[in-house]
Structures are given as C-alpha cells and as structure tokens.
Amino acid sequence: ACDLMNQGILALVSSIGCTSAGSLQSLADAMHIPHLFIQRSTAGTPRSGCGLTRSNRNDDYTLSVRPPVYLNDVIFRVVTEYAWQKFIIFYDNDYDIRGIQEFLDKVSQQGMDVALQKVENNINKMITGLFATMRIEELNRYRDTLRRAILIMNPSTAKSFLTEVVETNLVAFDCHWIIINEEINDVDVQELVRRSIGRLTIIRQTFPVPQNISQRCFRGNHRISSSLCDPKDPFSQSMEISNLYIYDTVLLLANAFHKKLEDRKWHSMASLTCIRKNSKPWQGGRSMLETIKKGGVNGLTGELEFAENGGNPNVHFEILGTNYGEDLGRGIRKLGCWNPVTGLNGSLTDRKLENNMRGVVLRVVTVLEEPFVMVSENVLGKPKKYQGFSIDVLEALATYLGFKYEIYVAPDHKYGSPQDDGSWNGLIGELVFKRADIGISALTITPDRENVVDFTTRYMDYSVGVLLRKAEKTVDMFACLAPFDLSLWACIAGTVLLVGLLVYLLNWLNPPRLQMGSMTSTTLYNSMWFVYGSFVQQGGEVPYTTLATRLMMGAWWLFALIVISSYTANLAAFLTISRIENSIQSLQDLSRQTDIPYGTVLDSAVYEHVRVKGMNPFERDSMYSQMWRMINRSNGSENNVLESAAGIQKVKYGNYAFVWDAAVLEYVAINDAECSFYTVGNTVADRGYGIALQHGSPYRDIFSQRILELQQNGDMDVLKHKWWPKNGQCDLYSSVDTKQKGGALDIKSFAGVFCILAAGIVLSCFIAMLETWWNKRKGSRVPSKEDDKEIDLEHLHRRVNSLCTDDDSPHKQFSTSSIDLTPLDIDTLPTRQALEQISDFRNTHITTTTFIPEQIQTLSRTLSAKAASGFSFGSVPEHRTGPFRHRAPNGGFFRSPIKTMSSIPYQPTPTLGLNIGSDPDRGTSI
C-alpha cells in the first residue's frame, strides 16, 4: 500500500481478511486515501465480523463494500421458525467461532440446548474415532444430537462431511440439517442435496437479476461481459462473491472519477511517502471520499451504495429447502428470503407434513398383543393382514394424513429392553437401528424408552392389572338351609322339642275338658306333632282348652310366624344372589398372600416397573417390594413367562395369577368362552400407550395432533367400545363362575329339598316295614285284641243271652271289658221301646261306649238329648246320666264309668233295621 501511494493513487481497493484490514484502515485514515474494503474469507468459509473500529467520522476513510455479516440474525430467525430446542453446530478449521457469539447468546437466553463441534480436515479419521471411543449408548445419544444440526463451513467440506455421516449411518431420513454460507452457488446446492438424506435447508446470499434478459449485461452506459452477467454461464457460477464485489467496486470508482471530471473538480493524484514522519496527507482525499459515497452503481451484486456509517446496507439471503425423504438427489425449492429491512419473507413449514403425507410409505414394526394387534388373515403367498385397537388408530391416522404403511412383527416378539452393551432389542431396537419408522402395539411410554425413541401423546391410559381364575361355584345341595346358621337351626329344633314337652306337661298337670266327639288325645307324641305342625304352618286340631296351654301356644305361634317370615325372605335372597367372595380384590391383597403364585412377562415394562419400585428404598408402599420378592424368585424364572399368551394359559389351567396390562387382561376376560377369568387392578392410570417413532421423526407432532383430535371428537371412544364393550358376555369383576343371566333357579338350588323329601319317604317306608314285622311277630304269640273286639251286634245279643241262661243267678258277675258300639246310627231308633231295650245293660258290669266320628257329630248332639231320658241307671249314686264324658286311652272312644255289680235282665233285641253287616265301619265291639 505504501508503494502504491508513492506511485500516486486516487483510492485504495483491498480484498483481504480481517487481520490485514485493520492495518490498511489505519494507513488510509492517516493518509486520507479513500479505502474500499472487500472482506474475503479463506477458501469459501463463511465470514466473521471484522469489527473495524470507527473513530471520528471525519477521520474514517475506509468504506466496507461487502454488507455486514448477518449470519447471526438469519440463523436465529430460521431456528426460531423451525422451533428447534436442541441442536449441534459444526464448523471447520478456517471459521472463527467468535463470529456467532451473538447468536449463541440469544439462543442461551431462549433456553435452547446447543452443542459445538469442530470438523477436522480428515473427516474420515474423525468419524472412525467416534465409533472407536464411544459406547453404543453414547453413540445412540450422539445420533440423537445429529438429528438437528447447523453446518458453518465451506461447500467442499460440507459435501465431504455429509457423505461420511450418511454412509456410516449416523443420520437417517428423519434428520434436518441447515447449511449456511454466502459462498454457495447453484452447483454446490445440487451436490449437497444429492449427498444428503432427510431434510436439508441451505441459506446463501443472493443478488437480484434483471427480469429483462436483454438488459442483464448493461449497467447504464456500461456493458458487462456475458460470461459474468449470464447466470447460466459456468464461469459466473464459479466466481466467488468477493470477486463480484471487486468488479462492482471498480465500476463504482470509474463512475466517481467520471463525475469528478464532469464537475471539473479533479485533484491530482497523491504522491505520498508513508515512511516520513512529517508526511502530509492527501488534500483531495476528503473530496474524493464524498464523491464515492454519494455515487452508486448497479452491478453484478445489485445496487452498490454506502450508508452514512460507510457500510453497504443492501444484502439479500435466499433460503432453499427439501422435504423429508430417503431418496438421494431429490428436488429443492425456495422456501423464503431474508433481508435486514423486512426480515423473513416466506414460510419454512414443511407443506407436505402440514397438509398431507400422500406418497409416503412408512415401515411399521409391531408385537402381537390382543386386542391391540392381532393377525386377521394369513394367506399363503400374501402379506398378513392385521386388526386390533392399535391398528384402528393407525388406520385413522393413515386415512386422515394419506400415508401408506407396511407392517411386520419384531423378530424376537418383544417390546424391547436395554442390553448389557447398551443396545436395545425387540420393537424399540428396530427403531433405534433405523430399520422401522413407527412402532405400534400395547407399547407403554416409559422414561428409558423415551431416551432412545420419540413417542406421540398417549392414545389410551395404562394401568397394571391382575388376571385370576374365577372360583368354581360349588353345588350346595342344601342351599335351602343357607338362610339360617347351623347353630340357629339347632336352636329351632331344640325349641320345637322343648315347647312340645311343655305342652304335654301342662296338659298332664291340668287335664282339659274335651268336647264330645273329639278325636285327639293329649299324649306326648300328639303334643310334639301338634307343635311341629303349627311351626311349619300346617295347622291341626286344638284340643287344649286350658289358659296356660293357650298362652303357651300363642307365644309359640308368634315365634313361628317371625321365624318362617325371616326364613322366606332370606331364602329368596340366597337363591338369587351369589355372595361368594374371593379374597383377592386388589393388588394389595395379591401382594399380602402367598398361596397363589404370580408373575409377569420377563424383561417387560411391567417387570421393570415392579423391579424399580420394589428395589427403591424410599418407596413408601411396601406392596411393590412384596410383589418383587414373589416375581423375582429364582431370578425371575420360576413365576415369570416369556410371552403374555403363556401367562394367560397358565392362569386358566393352574393355580397362578398373571400381572400384566389391565386393558389386555380385560379383553381376555370379556372374550373368554367359558367366562373363567376376572380381573383386579389399580384404577389410577400413571402411564399411557403411545406410538413410538425414531428420534427426531418429523411425524411425531402431526401424529400427536391428530390423536388429540380423535380424542376430542369422540372417535377414540368409539374405537375403545369396539374392543372393550360395556355389556360383555362375561362379568369382569365377579370372582365366581356366574354368567349375567336372569334370576331363574335351577335344580341345584333345590336339590336339598328333594333330598329331604326322599329321606322322609325312605324313612317312612322303613318304619312301615318295621311296624308290619312287629305286628306279625306279636300276633303269632298273643291273639289280637282288636280282632276280639269286632263282633256282630246280633252275636253280642246271643252271647249275653247264653250267659244269662247258663247261670240264673241274678248276681252273675261280668268282666269289666267294654262293649263298644261303633258307629251306631241311633237316629234310626225312633221309639222309646228301642231305647229301653238298650238300657237293659244298666244292671251289668259292662261299660258301654259309643264312637261318634266327626262326620256324624250332629247326630251325636241329637243322641245326647235322647239318651238323657233313655239311659237312666236308677238310684246308683256313682252312675252318671250320659255315657259321653271321658276320652278313652286308645284315643278314639268314649267310655262311661259304669262299674256296678248288679245283674241285668237281658232281653233279645230285635234287629232295628240297622244294616251293620254291610258297613265295615259300623258294628259293636267288646
């Protein structure tokens, strides 16, 4: 610069870095030489602000041709638009990281998580070192960090870096990277897009191009070479932006010099010596500087002019972007633009995800679990078809968003758990290793899983339940005795015996005055039978006329009424409502008992949930520690199973309780053909079922939004009722094997009644056989008195007449045996003479009794009036008028206590027209 000044110059144009710019600024300010500074970066690396000091405006002769560095403002606006919260910034060796200090301060204030990493020149060695030094768990976290990244580097380094990370599977199609550099041309853009996957956003500086093609190469009266002004020319594509600004700067100076010549204000060129201390500055420097600042030019970089502060305010940034996808070389489009005046113009939202996902095919991994995912059709040679609650949710999302999907089952049929080396198996492992886009099944959202995959919002609440087998309902043949306890039945039976005995004793102490014609007697047997008959409400004759006995029976009848009424009411309840309760009605009950072993699926989310809570010393509830001791017997191999289906079968055919997802167990209990299961569990939902996606998947937010819409409009409840109907064929919560039917009673409920009846029949038959045998045995040794009693009335007359003929003694003594007239239709004796003939027995030792059946009690009362005059026994003081006073001991005859020793003259009694022989119930017995 000093050499040029010695030769004589009008202005100084420099295209150098920030380090030398400060020295030139000092020299130009001292010599009053206009200095047009064009900042140049090394090898196309993005610029950093040089921070040139501006002292006194009159002494500042340096003008910045290139606009200020707006990378901080552009990046912050784009990151805010994308709503990033966590990302990493990669930069190359040539970039001064102090250039984005302002951006880092802003994102720190917003609470964003930002990491910085320098990219070495040997990128392959750098990536290889990452795999060698990081464990799998650390590498997975690093992959998660790479989902969102900003690249601040020259285009060639960015191309190499993209190639390495894609080939080493550090990124997948769900990543989103931003590359920002002013020095990116169209060729670089196409190459970067070709080498990347996922979503790519490119920010570069752009210049306005005249719409009129014929005017592109003309700037006023100046014609620009076609190789520079034609955007399609390869030479113009390879030119750096610094060179474009140099061209426009020279054009600007030429116009300024021309202006000076036209105004005749030309100053001679300065010939200055920098080394001399007393060297004076150029006198025409200020005038030339003002002419340059006031002038302007429309060149290759657009409008070149200077503001009051000596800077170029005209700058425009173009934002290009691609959509998500795995296809290399996909197209790129302009998303928007940015300038310091108006800011961002355009939307950076991915329209494909916002409106629809048509054309997108997602690979879905699942695990079979009823009723979430089940195979509905399996035809040889065709893809399997699936159904279930989770499949319905996925189908609702696909219908709304327009994507298609392919389902396959996880190779190991597991949900996934961390391994010793930090990797994951099962469904989660398929997502971690990018072999699937979505994971869906009865998959619960847990903190460990969220560390390696993303989850949508929960689409169904989750709680832990227990599946148990219903207690088989035992057949109680004596259900009719259930309303009363055994002790109460014993008390009732004892009361019957006691009251029967008391009734007999009361009648024995104070014999009642029986009515004529009564058939009953006051024996102990009859008293017991009468008390039992009144208890079972069957009635009977009431031969008890004493006040004490009636008070006793009144109290007994009231007692019987209350007991029978209570029994009837309770019997109806016992026969229609089952009251059999199982001892396990909650997780607490399950943890306290040890008779029924229980377990879950090994290495499942439920297994880990119980393990973590059971081994936590600060857990207040001891339920989980007790459950963990049972589940972890023999290191979990004794009571746990490998699949949920095995646990369900173990409950059905053995003494076992299966701890698993409550929703799955409820479906199994509802759809069991034998209704042999019931469930208990926790009603508080502490987690939920969600759809798992790869870390950083662009579909998470839109899936979550759609799930919320399904829940809000009630579609999710409709899907739930499809698989968990409220009115199922089985009762989920009843611990006994009963179906929800009407209250019809079956034979089992009344089997005991029939048994009692059968026992009574058998016992009565046995007693009848025993009585028959006894009567025959007794009759073979002693003549039957009954046979001797029953004789014909005419035979009686002849017998008495013969006795009188054989012994004329009027004092012949007769035995005190009875003459029974049973039954005698005395109403057929209309004359007094007939009655007198019967009274001929009054002087004998024969006691006459007459049995009057109930059906002729009316005749009996008539007879009493007639006999009052016909049966007069003279002046014997102990004789009583009327033979119908006392009941005979045999319970069916009335006996007159006539026991005189006087003789009775006997006259043959003519047949009175009584047809005694034709009726077996009529006759006279002795």
Side-chain angles (χ1 to χ4, degrees):
C2 286
D3 292 340
L4 291 175
M5 290 181 183
N6 289 334
Q7 297 176 10
I9 60 174
L10 296 174
L12 179 62
V13 179
S14 66
S15 179
I16 55 178
C18 292
T19 305
S20 303
S23 301
L24 289 180
Q25 181 186 13
S26 300
L27 180 61
D29 292 344
M31 297 301 169
H32 294 187
I33 301 297
H35 175 211
L36 281 76
F37 169 61
I38 304 170
Q39 183 182 358
R40 180 181 295 274
S41 58
T42 304
T45 302
R47 294 184 303 148
S48 297
C50 288
L52 297 178
T53 58
R54 300 289 179 179
S55 57
N56 188 357
R57 183 176 297 178
N58 294 329
D59 296 336
D60 190 2
Y61 284 84
T62 300
L63 301 177
S64 297
V65 177
R66 296 193 68 171
V69 179
Y70 288 103
L71 294 184
N72 290 288
D73 299 326
V74 178
I75 296 175
F76 183 76
R77 184 67 181 88
V78 172
V79 169
T80 305
E81 186 73 12
Y82 284 136
W84 285 9
Q85 294 297 324
K86 180 180 179 181
F87 53 91
I88 186 172
I89 298 176
F90 292 100
Y91 62 96
D92 56 15
N93 284 326
D94 297 327
Y95 181 72
D96 187 359
I97 194 61
R98 293 175 297 178
I100 59 171
Q101 184 61 47
E102 181 182 354
F103 168 73
L104 295 177
D105 293 340
K106 289 182 179 180
V107 298
S108 177
Q109 295 174 1
Q110 297 293 330
M112 300 180 186
D113 186 5
V114 183
L116 296 172
Q117 184 174 357
K118 180 187 289 186
V119 178
E120 305 293 339
N121 292 330
N122 191 342
I123 300 176
N124 182 270
K125 182 179 179 181
M126 168 187 162
I127 300 298
T128 305
L130 292 176
F131 281 95
T133 56
M134 289 185 177
R135 296 182 303 173
I136 294 181
E137 183 178 355
E138 296 174 343
L139 201 59
N140 289 334
R141 288 198 295 266
Y142 185 68
R143 283 194 178 100
D144 177 51
T145 305
L146 294 181
R147 292 173 50 240
R148 303 287 185 266
I150 299 176
L151 275 59
I152 304 177
M153 57 185 68
N154 63 71
S156 61
T157 306
K159 296 172 189 176
S160 302
F161 186 70
L162 284 175
T163 302
E164 289 292 336
V165 295
V166 170
E167 291 180 352
T168 54
N169 199 27
L170 283 176
V171 293
F173 81 99
D174 61 348
C175 69
H176 185 185
W177 283 15
I178 298 175
I179 301 176
I180 183 168
N181 195 331
E182 297 167 328
E183 303 281 351
I184 297 179
N185 54 44
D186 293 342
V187 177
D188 294 333
V189 169
Q190 295 297 330
E191 188 66 20
L192 289 171
V193 172
R194 188 187 65 83
R195 298 191 181 196
S196 67
I197 62 173
R199 188 176 186 183
L200 183 65
T201 300
I202 299 176
I203 304 174
R204 66 175 181 174
Q205 187 177 353
T206 184
F207 307 104
V209 178
Q211 298 296 328
N212 191 351
I213 299 177
S214 61
Q215 298 297 325
R216 284 182 179 178
C217 295
F218 291 92
R219 301 295 187 268
N221 56 358
H222 178 74
R223 183 179 185 277
I224 304 175
S225 173
S226 61
S227 62
L228 296 177
C229 62
D230 187 1
K232 296 182 180 181
D233 192 278
F235 180 77
S236 64
Q237 291 290 331
S238 61
M239 283 188 65
E240 294 182 4
I241 293 180
S242 301
N243 296 335
L244 297 178
Y245 276 107
I246 292 176
Y247 186 94
D248 289 347
T249 301
V250 174
L251 185 59
L252 175 64
L253 290 175
N255 290 339
F257 296 156
H258 187 268
K259 180 70 174 175
K260 277 288 186 180
L261 292 174
E262 285 183 347
D263 295 342
R264 297 182 182 275
K265 295 180 179 180
W266 183 259
H267 298 279
S268 60
M269 290 185 297
S271 179
L272 305 173
T273 303
C274 302
I275 300 176
R276 293 179 183 179
K277 293 183 180 179
N278 56 357
S279 178
K280 296 182 179 179
W282 182 37
Q283 296 298 325
R286 173 57 58 182
S287 175
M288 183 62 71
L289 179 63
E290 293 297 330
T291 303
I292 295 173
K293 290 176 64 175
K294 291 180 181 179
V297 66
N298 188 3
L300 296 177
T301 59
E303 193 69 27
L304 177 58
E305 57 185 1
F306 297 99
E308 289 295 330
N309 60 359
N312 181 8
N314 299 320
V315 63
H316 296 273
F317 286 91
E318 183 181 40
I319 304 175
L320 307 175
T322 65
N323 292 326
Y324 288 101
E326 293 181 333
D327 299 333
L328 299 176
R330 59 200 181 281
I332 191 170
R333 60 186 178 88
K334 183 178 179 179
L335 302 177
C337 59
W338 185 93
N339 63 72
V341 179
T342 61
L344 179 64
N345 184 15
S347 177
L348 305 184
T349 305
D350 191 345
R351 298 177 184 176
K352 189 172 187 179
L353 286 181
E354 182 182 14
N355 298 331
N356 60 71
M357 295 173 58
R358 301 191 184 279
V360 178
V361 179
L362 301 179
R363 187 166 173 81
V364 181
V365 60
T366 187
V367 174
L368 298 180
E369 186 74 75
E370 295 182 351
F372 291 87
V373 180
M374 300 175 290
V375 178
S376 62
E377 183 177 337
N378 187 8
V379 180
L380 184 63
K382 294 183 180 180
K384 293 182 180 179
K385 293 184 179 180
Y386 298 88
Q387 65 177 359
F389 176 64
S390 296
I391 300 299
D392 290 344
V393 175
L394 180 62
E395 186 63 28
L397 296 176
T399 303
Y400 178 79
L401 300 175
F403 65 87
K404 297 181 180 180
Y405 56 88
E406 299 175 353
I407 301 181
Y408 73 98
V409 180
D412 55 359
H413 302 278
K414 294 182 178 180
Y415 289 99
S417 59
Q419 305 300 301
D420 296 336
D421 58 357
S423 62
W424 284 72
N425 61 357
L427 183 148
I428 301 297
E430 296 294 306
L431 295 173
V432 170
F433 291 104
K434 314 296 182 182
R435 291 191 287 265
D437 305 322
I438 295 177
I440 191 168
S441 183
L443 188 64
T444 54
I445 304 174
T446 62
D448 292 339
R449 291 171 177 173
E450 280 194 307
N451 288 333
V452 293
V453 297
D454 284 347
F455 278 97
T456 63
T457 184
R458 65 173 65 181
Y459 60 87
M460 184 178 179
D461 292 333
Y462 165 86
S463 61
V464 177
V466 184
L467 183 70
L468 299 105
R469 186 176 59 181
K470 290 183 179 180
E472 295 182 359
K473 188 178 179 181
T474 57
V475 179
D476 188 5
M477 297 180 61
F478 297 95
C480 57
L481 303 178
F484 290 164
D485 188 64
L486 181 62
S487 60
L488 182 57
W489 282 116
C491 291
I492 292 174
T495 305
V496 172
L497 297 177
L498 178 62
V499 173
L501 180 62
L502 291 176
V503 170
Y504 171 75
L505 292 176
L506 290 176
N507 286 302
W508 181 75
L509 294 174
N510 187 12
R513 298 175 64 86
L514 299 180
Q515 297 179 358
M516 183 185 67
S518 178
M519 298 168 49
T520 59
S521 62
T522 58
T523 61
L524 178 62
Y525 169 79
N526 286 339
S527 299
M528 292 292 182
W529 181 254
F530 176 74
V531 170
Y532 173 75
S534 62
F535 177 76
V536 296
Q537 298 180 344
Q538 295 303 314
E541 292 188 10
V542 186
Y544 311 113
T545 59
T546 63
L547 180 61
T549 306
R550 289 188 175 184
L551 289 176
M552 170 72 71
M553 293 309 301
W556 171 249
W557 288 337
L558 179 62
F559 170 79
L561 176 65
I562 297 175
V563 171
I564 295 301
S565 300
S566 302
Y567 174 81
T568 305
N570 284 340
L571 180 63
F574 269 85
L575 292 179
T576 55
I577 300 177
S578 175
R579 298 183 179 179
I580 303 177
E581 297 288 343
N582 193 288
S583 59
I584 301 177
Q585 296 297 327
S586 64
L587 289 176
Q588 288 79 6
D589 296 339
L590 181 70
S591 63
R592 296 190 190 104
Q593 60 84 40
T594 56
D595 296 334
I596 302 178
Y598 51 90
T600 183
V601 176
L602 196 64
D603 296 332
S604 63
V606 178
Y607 182 86
E608 291 297 323
H609 177 71
V610 177
R611 182 186 66 82
V612 171
K613 286 188 171 291
M615 299 180 67
N616 184 7
F618 301 102
E619 182 68 32
R620 295 182 179 180
D621 193 355
S622 61
M623 176 187 70
Y624 288 101
S625 61
Q626 296 171 353
M627 293 179 64
W628 175 243
R629 284 194 293 269
M630 174 66 74
I631 291 176
N632 197 40
R633 284 185 179 179
S634 303
N635 293 326
S637 61
E638 180 178 347
N639 294 327
N640 296 309
V641 294
L642 298 179
E643 294 182 357
S644 59
I648 295 171
Q649 293 297 318
K650 195 171 181 180
V651 173
K652 190 169 187 177
Y653 299 106
N655 185 33
Y656 183 74
F658 184 49
V659 182
W660 196 235
D661 298 358
V664 177
L665 300 182
E666 288 178 2
Y667 175 82
V668 172
I670 290 175
N671 294 274
D672 183 55
E674 301 175 357
C675 293
S676 58
F677 298 123
Y678 79 100
T679 62
V680 298
N682 188 5
T683 57
V684 179
D686 54 352
R687 285 180 288 173
Y689 298 98
I691 300 177
L693 305 98
Q694 294 182 9
H695 247 315
S697 174
Y699 312 122
R700 179 185 62 179
D701 296 337
I702 192 170
F703 278 18
S704 298
Q705 180 181 359
R706 180 54 183 163
I707 289 174
L708 293 176
E709 292 176 359
L710 292 174
Q711 293 174 344
Q712 184 175 3
N713 57 28
D715 292 341
M716 194 67 72
D717 293 332
V718 174
L719 297 180
K720 290 180 182 177
H721 294 162
K722 174 183 176 182
W723 297 100
W724 290 276
K726 292 183 178 180
N727 299 324
Q729 63 176 354
C730 301
D731 188 359
L732 292 179
Y733 311 107
S734 175
S735 59
V736 295
D737 190 9
T738 57
K739 294 186 178 180
Q740 298 176 350
K741 293 184 179 180
L745 301 177
D746 53 6
I747 188 62
K748 297 178 182 178
S749 302
F750 279 90
V753 179
F754 289 98
C755 290
I756 294 175
L757 177 61
I761 295 174
V762 172
L763 182 61
S764 62
C765 293
F766 175 76
I767 296 298
M769 295 173 60
L770 187 62
E771 287 180 345
T772 303
W773 171 80
W774 178 258
N775 291 333
K776 289 184 178 180
R777 182 172 177 272
K778 184 178 179 182
S780 61
R781 293 182 295 179
V782 179
S784 177
K785 293 183 179 180
E786 294 293 335
D787 295 340
D788 293 342
K789 288 181 181 180
E790 302 297 335
I791 61 174
D792 187 77
L793 183 59
E794 187 65 26
H795 178 70
L796 172 63
H797 295 167
R798 290 195 301 269
R799 179 59 180 165
V800 173
N801 190 30
S802 66
L803 291 175
C804 294
T805 304
D806 293 341
D807 191 355
D808 295 334
S809 176
H811 303 286
K812 177 66 179 180
Q813 295 184 355
F814 291 87
S815 65
T816 60
S817 58
S818 299
I819 300 176
D820 296 334
L821 307 178
T822 62
L824 180 64
D825 191 358
I826 303 182
D827 277 347
T828 58
L829 305 176
T831 62
R832 169 98 181 167
Q833 180 182 0
L835 295 176
E836 291 177 353
Q837 293 175 350
I838 296 178
S839 65
D840 291 340
F841 293 98
R842 59 182 179 272
N843 295 324
T844 66
H845 293 93
I846 300 175
T847 300
T848 60
T849 63
T850 304
F851 173 74
I852 308 298
E854 278 189 340
Q855 59 267 27
I856 58 171
Q857 285 186 2
T858 304
L859 303 178
S860 163
R861 291 192 292 269
T862 305
L863 176 64
S864 298
K866 295 181 179 181
S869 59
F871 286 82
S872 178
F873 297 102
S875 60
V876 182
E878 64 271 18
H879 288 179
R880 296 182 182 179
T881 304
F884 313 111
R885 296 288 183 180
H886 298 282
R887 177 175 295 189
N890 59 9
F893 301 92
F894 291 97
R895 175 168 296 165
S896 178
I898 302 174
K899 299 182 179 180
T900 61
M901 299 300 293
S902 59
S903 61
I904 300 175
Y906 176 77
Q907 297 294 332
T909 301
T911 302
L912 302 178
L914 300 177
N915 190 12
I916 298 175
S918 62
D919 190 347
D921 294 334
R922 296 173 180 268
T924 302
S925 63
I926 297 177

